[in-house]
């Protein structure tokens, strides 16, 4: 079954909200006055009518019930309900002051809006749960195809596969036939039009990376006749960052991708001041621990106490990172290699303990004082591995806009990475940091790091 009943959602939503509003008004009157006698008499009858008229005007002006399936989420629905109710309260308040309607009960109004928000939220959440389950079972679905085969096409397909509650059903890839996509394509460009009509396709995703303008124009022109949606996919993940904006040159939209500072001057100054103060205190109070760890490192295996390695810092600038040596000497004589975890035979027995407790990272407070690193920030990597990560996850470049750190949310939630795939998995956590960077968030990460150190759960 396709989405033939989708057209009913709009009027059903309006009707239920009006029923909720009126039930709340009468219910509030009943709870306040212990009777419904009088609610249809003056002055409450006109007040009741005004309630409905204001809500109707809001619907006509703001069109609150039109949104794509991707935004059909509880948070979005409840925010819009609160927004509409806030406007309604503001208009009623102005009317109250204008007519000096102090004879209306404030308690009645409070109960009415409380009931309305409760009923509205209950309906929205209940409807959302029902629709998600309904669509996950294959009903009320929208059929889509993807034109142009590649990583970008696979990404949108994977997104809808992991979100069946959105009700999008995949009907195949269309592209030029090549040796790489042999056996994967449903058809070629010449077969697309007939396939859309035969299968009743609702939406065509066009990956601009893999197709030219003539092919796109043909699809758009055909959409006007065959009545399907055309959506364009452009891969901005590698260079899209905070501060991106759209400029309009007459009717032509231009995407401005100029880099901007991720936090204002005051945040950066405060963070740098905190880094210096925290590092001085850590180095001062922790000196006995540092000396003990250094001595044990030197005595338990041949080689230097400290280990220095080039990493890439803020803005792509290389620097030397310092650690207590946790591996045997010449562990990478065969070339750059990531640690295979605590079972890696290149790690010394004492090194395993240091990694579990994160003691090997302590010398990096020197890097913090030098300004190469921060106490909290995404972990710095070597250029050799950055090149491999970017091929899989281009969004990694956004982490180079902030100063790397001794600890990060990725280190707390994931730990050391044994291969590039694990580095990409850890990246999913670290990408949260530039967006949520704040003093409170830094304190939370530091607290979690201390807990990991105390419990010896580092990996």
């Amino acid at each position: 079954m396709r989405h033939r009943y989708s057209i009913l959602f709009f009027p059903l939503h309006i009707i239920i909200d009006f029923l909720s509003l009126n039930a709340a008004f009468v219910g509030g009157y009943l709870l306040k006055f212990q009777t419904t006698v009088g609610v249809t008499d003056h002055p409450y009858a006109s007040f009741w009518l005004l309630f409905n008229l204001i809500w109707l005007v809001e619907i006509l002006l703001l069109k609150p019930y039109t949104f794509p399936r991707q935004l059909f989420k509880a948070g979005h629905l409840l925010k819009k309900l609160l927004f509409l109710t806030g406007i309604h309260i503001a208009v009623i308040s102005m009317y109250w002051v204008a007519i000096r309607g102090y004879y209306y009960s404030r308690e009645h109004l409070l109960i009415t809006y409380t009931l309305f928000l409760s009923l509205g939220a209950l309906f929205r959440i209940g409807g959302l749960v029902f629709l998600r389950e309904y669509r996950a079972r294959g009903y009320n679905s929208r059929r889509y195809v993807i034109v142009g085969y590649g990583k970008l096409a696979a990404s949108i397909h994977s997104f809808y596969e992991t979100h069946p509650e959105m009700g999008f059903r995949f009907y195949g890839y269309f592209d030029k036939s090549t040796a790489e996509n042999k056996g994967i394509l449903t058809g070629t460009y010449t077969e697309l039009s007939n396939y859309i009509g035969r299968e009743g396709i609702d939406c065509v995703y066009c990956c601009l990376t893999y197709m030219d303008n003539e092919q796109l124009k043909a699809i758009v022109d055909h959409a006007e006749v065959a009545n399907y949606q055309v959506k364009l996919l452009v891969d901005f993940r590698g260079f899209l960052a905070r501060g991106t904006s759209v400029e309009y040159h007459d009717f032509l939209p231009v995407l401005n991708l100029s880099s901007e500072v991720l936090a204002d001057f005051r945040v950066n100054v405060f963070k740098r001041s905190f880094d210096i103060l925290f590092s001085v205190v850590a180095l001062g109070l922790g000196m006995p621990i540092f000396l003990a760890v250094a001595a044990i490192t030197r005595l338990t295996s041949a080689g230097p106490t400290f280990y220095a390695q080039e990493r890439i810092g803020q803005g792509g600038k290389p620097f030397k990172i310092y650690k207590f040596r946790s591996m045997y000497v010449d562990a990478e004589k065969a070339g750059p290699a990531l640690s295979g975890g605590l079972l890696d035979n290149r790690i010394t027995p004492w090194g395993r303990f240091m990694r579990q407790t994160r003691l090997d990272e302590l010398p990096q407070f020197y890097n913090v004082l030098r300004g190469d690193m921060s106490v909290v920030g995404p972990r710095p990597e070597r250029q050799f591995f950055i090149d491999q990560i970017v091929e899989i996850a281009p969004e990694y470049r956004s982490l180079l806009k902030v100063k790397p750190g001794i600890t990060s949310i990725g280190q707390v939630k994931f730990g050391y990475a044994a291969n590039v795939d694990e580095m990409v998995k850890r990246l999913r956590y670290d990408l949260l940091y530039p967006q949520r960077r704040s003093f409170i968030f830094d304190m939370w990460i530091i607290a979690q790091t201390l807990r990991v150190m105390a419990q010896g759960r580092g990996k």
Side-chain angles (χ1 to χ4, degrees), residues 410-421:
Q411 281 290 91
V412 170
K413 294 292 187 180
F414 191 89
Y416 294 104
N419 51 57
V420 173
D421 288 337

Side-chain angles (χ1 to χ4, degrees), residues 147 152 206-213 216 232-235:
V147 180
L152 186 61
C206 296
C207 299
L208 298 188
T209 312
Y210 318 122
M211 57 190 301
D212 57 40
N213 288 339
L216 176 61
L232 307 183
L233 288 171
V234 185
D235 194 356

Side-chain angles (χ1 to χ4, degrees), residues 9-229:
F9 293 161
F10 178 75
L12 182 63
H13 203 159
I14 294 176
I15 292 170
I16 290 180
D17 270 355
F18 269 109
L19 289 174
S20 299
L21 184 68
N22 286 278
F25 189 91
V26 176
Y29 192 93
L30 176 62
L31 290 173
K32 168 59 181 173
F33 300 108
Q34 305 301 312
T35 181
T36 57
V37 176
V39 72
T40 56
D41 299 332
H42 182 77
Y44 273 91
S46 57
F47 200 37
W48 188 1
L49 178 62
L50 181 65
F51 256 67
N52 286 274
L53 289 176
I54 293 173
W55 192 259
L56 177 62
V57 171
E58 285 190 75
I59 292 173
L60 295 176
L61 293 179
L62 302 177
K63 298 178 175 60
Y65 303 123
T66 55
F67 37 76
R69 294 186 180 208
Q70 291 81 355
L71 293 179
F72 199 70
K73 300 177 181 179
H76 181 77
L77 295 174
L78 294 178
K79 283 179 183 177
K80 186 160 285 190
L81 174 63
L82 287 171
F83 176 70
L84 292 172
T85 307
I87 294 176
H88 197 279
I89 292 172
V91 175
I92 287 293
S93 299
M94 288 188 289
Y95 169 77
W96 190 328
V97 172
I99 68 166
R100 302 185 180 221
Y102 305 118
Y103 39 83
Y104 293 122
S105 169
R106 293 183 179 85
E107 190 177 347
H108 167 246
L109 279 178
L110 177 62
I111 297 172
T112 296
Y113 283 118
T114 301
L115 287 175
F116 176 61
L117 285 172
S118 301
L119 290 171
L122 184 64
F123 159 67
R124 283 160 172 78
I125 294 174
L128 178 64
V129 171
F130 169 77
L131 272 179
R132 284 187 170 184
E133 181 64 24
Y134 190 63
R135 287 168 176 168
R137 293 175 181 270
Y139 300 101
N140 188 235
S141 61
R142 296 203 172 183
R143 304 176 179 185
Y144 76 98
V145 296
I146 301 175
V147 180
Y149 179 74
K151 287 185 178 179
L152 186 61
S155 295
I156 192 66
H157 179 213
S158 175
F159 173 78
Y160 284 128
E161 286 296 304
T162 55
H163 294 280
E165 73 278 3
M166 290 186 180
F168 280 80
R169 295 179 64 187
F170 180 61
Y171 273 71
Y173 295 109
F174 286 80
D175 201 346
K176 294 177 182 177
S177 181
T178 64
E180 294 180 359
N181 58 33
K182 186 177 181 182
I184 298 175
L185 299 183
T186 302
T188 61
Y189 288 107
T190 56
E191 300 170 303
L192 179 61
S193 296
N194 289 334
Y195 188 85
I196 289 173
R198 184 171 67 251
E199 298 295 334
I201 300 301
D202 304 296
C203 184
V204 176
Y205 281 90
C206 296
C207 299
L208 298 188
T209 312
Y210 318 122
M211 57 190 301
D212 57 40
N213 288 339
E214 289 185 6
Q215 294 163 341
L216 176 61
K217 185 177 184 302
I219 292 172
V220 173
D221 290 343
H222 182 246
E224 297 179 2
V225 178
N227 192 29
Y228 59 83
Q229 290 183 321

Side-chain angles (χ1 to χ4, degrees), residues 376-419:
V376 178
R379 290 295 296 168
E381 299 294 347
R382 285 178 276 181
Q383 189 66 56
F384 177 80
F385 294 111
I386 289 177
D387 293 339
Q388 297 179 59
I389 295 171
V390 167
E391 287 185 8
I392 302 172
E395 58 269 31
Y396 177 86
R397 293 193 184 97
S398 66
L399 295 185
L400 298 179
K401 295 183 180 297
V402 296
K403 193 172 290 187
I406 297 177
T407 186
S408 70
I409 187 171
Q411 281 290 91
V412 170
K413 294 292 187 180
F414 191 89
Y416 294 104
N419 51 57

Side-chain angles (χ1 to χ4, degrees), residues 265-284:
F265 178 74
R266 289 178 299 173
V267 171
N268 286 325
V269 169
F270 183 81
K271 185 172 176 62
R272 180 59 184 153
S273 300
F274 171 79
D275 285 342
I276 294 173
L277 179 62
F278 191 93
S279 298
V280 168
V281 172
L283 288 170

